[in-house]
Amino acid sequence: MFNYEKLMSAHNHINFKEVSFLPAKLDGLLMSDTIFINEDLDPHEKNAIVAEEIGHYYTVSSRITDYENMNEYKYELKGRRLGYEFNVPIQKIIECYELGLSNIHEMAEHLELPEEYICEALKHYEIKYQNKLFYKDCLITFNPLKIIED
């Protein structure tokens, strides 16, 4: 089972449909209580899209259609950030460190995500925690990524 399938199972109150007929430039779309995912994406890309659309499910009350509108763009970012936290939680970053995964490529393979998505998630945490987080017995810096155990 791929990680995106596990993510869908964890949110089984939402309907998920893999389809081939999404509007241009969209890989995922939330409509009411159904998330539509482009069936042609590879599993790593699906993992990123599923998490972001679940994030939208929890943060948006209406469909985001106008990215020029600052309010709608704010909700787009909010859903994306929540998706980062679903897919790359702090504990998973520590897990990668404990497994000896030493670069973004290895982390991306382990977490079944695109490398660019991992970089964006780390950037999210860098901003959210002002680059430093004390978590359990670890000090984590996000840029550059470094974990120091206590």
Side-chain angles (χ1 to χ4, degrees), residues 113-131:
L113 290 162
E115 290 179 32
E116 181 180 330
Y117 187 89
I118 298 291
C119 293
E120 291 168 1
L122 293 173
K123 183 69 173 169
H124 160 68
Y125 287 128
E126 177 186 354
I127 293 167
K128 181 176 181 176
Y129 296 114
Q130 298 177 346
N131 198 41

Side-chain angles (χ1 to χ4, degrees), residues 9-144:
S9 292
H11 298 273
N12 61 6
H13 57 284
I14 304 171
N15 298 311
F16 295 91
K17 296 188 189 246
E18 293 190 45
V19 297
S20 60
F21 56 82
L22 286 174
K25 298 185 181 181
L26 288 181
D27 290 325
L29 178 65
L30 168 65
M31 292 183 72
S32 188
D33 64 344
T34 301
I35 293 174
F36 297 92
I37 304 297
N38 181 340
E39 68 185 8
D40 296 328
L41 297 175
D42 73 43
H44 292 197
E45 292 168 326
K46 283 182 186 176
N47 196 8
I49 297 299
V50 165
E52 181 174 333
E53 295 304 325
I54 292 171
H56 291 316
Y57 177 86
Y58 290 112
T59 60
V60 176
S61 59
S62 65
R63 190 168 161 211
I64 300 169
T65 57
D66 180 8
Y67 294 106
E68 299 297 318
N69 178 313
M70 192 56 94
N71 257 357
E72 289 194 22
Y73 187 68
K74 178 178 77 172
Y75 286 115
E76 173 67 21
L77 292 177
K78 199 171 187 182
R80 188 171 299 157
R81 289 178 187 136
L82 189 54
Y84 295 147
E85 294 188 16
F86 285 140
N87 262 339
V88 190
I90 300 298
Q91 187 57 47
K92 289 287 185 180
I93 295 170
I94 293 171
E95 176 184 298
C96 288
Y97 166 77
E98 289 172 343
L99 290 171
L101 307 178
S102 60
N103 60 51
I104 298 298
H105 174 76
E106 291 173 345
M107 286 179 71
E109 284 301 310
H110 177 69
L111 298 175
E112 296 179 14
L113 290 162
E115 290 179 32
E116 181 180 330
Y117 187 89
I118 298 291
C119 293
E120 291 168 1
L122 293 173
K123 183 69 173 169
H124 160 68
Y125 287 128
E126 177 186 354
I127 293 167
K128 181 176 181 176
Y129 296 114
Q130 298 177 346
N131 198 41
K132 242 181 240 179
L133 174 65
F134 292 96
Y135 182 83
K136 296 189 178 178
D137 292 330
C138 297
L139 168 63
I140 304 169
T141 59
F142 298 100
N143 188 15

